[in-house]
Amino acid sequence: MGNYELFILGSLCLLTLIVVTLAIVWRKKFRTMHGMMISMFFGMNVGLTAGVLFGVTYQGNLYFSTILSMAIGFLAGALCGFCFGILSVLEGVMAGLMGGMMGAMLGEMIIVNQSINLIQIFLFLSISTIFVIIILKSSKETKIENKRWFLKPVLLSVFIAVYIIAGNSLAEKNGELKNSELQHSGHSSTINNTEGFNKNSQFIAIETTEMKYSKTKIVVEKDKPITLTLTNLDKIDHDIEIRTSFFNRIKKSEHNHGADKNMLHLHAAPENMEMLTFTLTKSGVYEFYCTIPGHKELGMIGRFIVS
């Protein structure tokens, strides 16, 4: 778990403390229905924020990310609802569980860049619970005595925006640093591992990032050794599978699970590189794709064109 994930979780913890404190201080000013509304709003949005965060962080393990997200949504909704009574606790808990479950499913299906935008939206909505509390605590008879009153929500909104933008900047820097380090180590490893190959070998390097292959159309020659490297720059597993019986495997990776005579399979763990050497013995077009559930449908597919 990186700096951005810790930033979001820390923000949710701090926000929960603030919301609970405000609810305790002003709880006498709220009706039962108000307490239920605040608890539901807070539990749902915290659950969604945590759900998308864990869903994209632990893609491929939906059960684990769902349990974590539901636990955080449950806790946030329960703590907020506890300030107002048993009905508010039930409302907050159910909303938190629902938000965590939906968020985790959403995080499982999207790429990292999309998740950051959604996390920002849900985090802003979670912080907006403070606005909801302030609005509901004010009676209908309350009058605005001075136009400067409007500066309070405006300044608070600006502060929230700056806070979220700073977190987004942290995420981008963290991601760029990791990708840079991985690409450097990956290219170095590639050079060292290919020095001994025959000059007639065909070298194909494919990288995976944000649920995409860097190459989707590859032209090779029949009966000529192909050295294929798969560098996984994402935080989830990826692989390449080619369904054909017209090949000869020369050298396989330790993580190659393709013992089947009718397919070639190359698997790369998150932020790792694996390699496979083989020849294709018949001209034609061979489809390759990622076999991790849902990845092919998101566009992780390509073609080997054998001349």
Side-chain angles (χ1 to χ4, degrees):
M1 189 171 293
N3 292 334
Y4 184 66
E5 289 81 1
L6 295 175
F7 167 80
I8 296 298
L9 292 177
S11 299
L12 291 177
C13 290
L14 178 61
L15 178 61
T16 301
L17 179 61
I18 294 172
V19 168
V20 170
T21 300
L22 293 177
I24 292 174
V25 172
W26 291 331
R27 62 182 170 182
K28 293 182 179 180
K29 297 186 178 182
F30 296 110
R31 301 175 185 174
T32 301
M33 184 61 68
H34 290 165
M36 293 172 65
M37 290 172 59
I38 293 170
S39 302
M40 180 186 69
F41 186 83
F42 186 63
M44 175 67 75
N45 285 303
V46 169
L48 285 168
T49 306
V52 175
L53 179 69
F54 287 127
V56 76
T57 300
Y58 299 107
Q59 275 186 344
N61 194 347
L62 181 58
Y63 176 78
F64 181 66
S65 61
T66 301
I67 292 298
L68 280 180
S69 307
M70 289 174 66
I72 290 179
F74 175 96
L75 185 61
L79 288 173
C80 184
F82 184 76
C83 304
F84 304 109
I86 186 64
L87 291 178
S88 298
V89 170
L90 294 175
E91 192 76 27
V93 164
M94 294 308 298
L97 291 174
M98 184 67 70
M101 180 175 62
M102 293 190 299
M105 293 174 64
L106 184 59
E108 180 74 19
M109 298 184 292
I110 60 179
I111 62 177
V112 175
N113 282 351
Q114 294 172 337
S115 74
I116 292 175
N117 294 331
L118 284 176
I119 289 170
Q120 288 177 330
I121 292 171
F122 292 136
L123 180 59
F124 181 82
L125 290 174
S126 300
I127 297 174
S128 296
T129 306
I130 298 173
F131 288 97
V132 175
I133 291 176
I134 293 173
I135 292 170
L136 291 179
K137 91 172 183 64
S138 303
S139 63
K140 293 182 179 180
E141 292 76 21
T142 302
K143 295 182 179 180
I144 299 174
E145 299 178 356
N146 195 314
K147 292 182 179 180
R148 291 181 181 178
W149 183 90
F150 288 103
L151 288 176
K152 296 178 181 179
V154 170
L155 290 175
L156 184 57
S157 298
V158 170
F159 173 77
I160 293 171
V162 170
Y163 184 81
I164 293 176
I165 291 171
N168 186 40
S169 176
L170 179 66
E172 291 177 351
K173 289 181 180 179
N174 195 42
E176 289 173 1
L177 180 61
K178 283 188 175 181
N179 286 347
S180 176
E181 290 175 349
L182 184 59
Q183 287 175 348
H184 178 73
S185 62
H187 291 318
S188 299
S189 177
T190 298
I191 293 171
N192 292 334
N193 287 328
T194 56
E195 285 178 351
F197 286 113
N198 191 297
K199 292 181 180 179
N200 292 325
S201 295
Q202 303 171 95
F203 182 77
I204 308 297
I206 297 179
E207 294 180 349
T208 61
T209 179
E210 297 182 356
M211 306 295 284
K212 294 179 181 178
Y213 289 128
S214 60
K215 297 177 182 176
T216 56
K217 182 179 179 181
I218 301 169
V219 179
V220 295
E221 296 181 31
K222 183 181 71 171
D223 295 324
K224 189 173 181 179
I226 301 167
T227 298
L228 174 65
T229 65
L230 178 62
T231 303
N232 186 358
L233 301 178
D234 283 334
K235 294 183 178 180
I236 55 176
D237 288 23
H238 288 305
D239 60 28
I240 287 178
E241 185 166 288
I242 308 170
R243 289 277 177 175
T244 179
S245 58
F246 300 107
F247 69 87
N248 289 317
R249 187 182 288 109
I250 300 173
K251 184 178 180 180
K252 64 180 181 179
S253 164
E254 294 179 359
H255 297 279
N256 177 24
H257 307 300
D260 197 312
K261 294 181 180 180
N262 295 315
M263 72 173 183
L264 287 163
H265 188 101
L266 182 61
H267 174 268
E271 301 182 351
N272 277 281
M273 184 193 76
E274 297 297 337
M275 181 168 55
L276 177 65
T277 303
F278 58 95
T279 60
L280 292 171
T281 58
K282 185 177 180 180
S283 300
V285 178
Y286 300 85
E287 182 182 80
F288 67 87
Y289 53 89
C290 183
T291 65
I292 306 299
H295 291 195
K296 180 180 179 181
E297 291 73 13
L298 288 172
M300 297 194 72
I301 187 170
R303 295 179 298 161
F304 270 94
I305 302 174
V306 183
S307 58

